[in-house]
Amino acid sequence: MNPRILRAAGWAAVPWKNGGGVTREIASWPEGAGTADFDWRISLADVAADGPFSTFPGVDRTLTMVEGAGMDLTVGGRRALVDERCVPADFPGDLPTHCLLLAGPVVNFNVMWHRERVSASVAVVRGCLPVPVPPGTTVVAVALESPATLGNATLARYDAALLAPEAATGESASAPLTLRSEGPAALVTLRRAVRR
């Protein structure tokens, strides 16, 4: 399987949905979907000031702080302290969320998905491990702090690799690629929700 490499240098910075910050999209599905019609979306967000986060009806999200001292979040009236780098924090994207910065700006790695369309998980890993991609699943690997390799591809900081099995066969085309990273890397696994 050949990963699709997404270089951080090519990402455009655009305003948040509510205008309170800037985000750089890494990948989304459907490709080119806006903030109102994505099934899933992965991005980096710069948070430079206290204020509300955008709300996304029907969306769950995982936020992983990758730069800065941290945030004191209030999510639906409950406090959620995010003060450790590279530790994923899950919360509903449709609840009112307010951010107080602990000591200056932060950068967050964000994964958002419509809970009725997609299931998602985010793991922060390091070392050497195989990255399987089961049928019907998309996996996105992102180097969070230092360069990493996936198979023969080298990922600089914040570069990403998107892996999906071949649609024609419904299964992976080869053995899993190996991810090697001395620093933390994110593995995002996305699977279309099963209709009942």
Side-chain angles (χ1 to χ4, degrees):
M1 182 182 303
N2 292 319
R4 178 180 171 192
I5 306 302
L6 308 169
R7 299 294 181 191
W11 304 336
V14 298
W16 289 0
K17 179 182 169 184
N18 71 1
V22 170
T23 188
R24 288 157 284 160
E25 183 176 294
I26 298 171
S28 64
W29 186 262
E31 287 189 24
T35 55
D37 54 1
F38 62 82
D39 286 356
W40 57 263
R41 184 171 187 266
I42 302 172
S43 64
L44 282 175
D46 297 346
V47 185
D50 299 341
F53 282 3
S54 302
T55 56
F56 294 88
V59 168
D60 285 328
R61 65 190 297 177
T62 298
L63 176 153
T64 306
M65 185 183 66
V66 292
E67 295 181 35
M71 301 167 291
D72 191 349
L73 301 181
T74 303
V75 182
R78 293 190 174 187
R79 187 179 181 206
L81 187 62
V82 178
D83 61 352
E84 190 172 351
R85 291 187 188 183
C86 296
V87 177
D90 303 323
F91 61 97
D94 45 13
L95 291 182
T97 300
H98 191 273
C99 169
L100 292 175
L101 295 171
L102 298 182
V106 302
V107 177
N108 295 321
F109 175 70
N110 281 303
V111 180
M112 299 189 291
W113 65 96
H114 274 273
R115 64 179 69 99
E116 293 185 357
R117 304 178 203 165
V118 176
S119 63
S121 64
V122 179
V124 175
V125 300
R126 67 176 72 215
C128 178
L129 70 161
V131 182
V133 186
T137 299
T138 298
V139 176
V140 180
V142 183
L144 294 181
E145 285 191 0
S146 57
T149 60
L150 182 67
N152 294 323
T154 298
L155 305 177
R157 189 180 192 192
Y158 297 143
D159 285 352
L162 188 149
L163 294 149
E166 293 185 352
T169 63
E171 59 185 8
S172 299
S174 60
L177 296 177
T178 298
L179 175 67
R180 292 180 173 86
S181 179
E182 291 185 7
L187 280 179
V188 182
T189 303
L190 304 136
R191 180 182 292 273
R192 184 161 297 278
V194 177
R195 303 285 183 184
R196 296 182 184 256

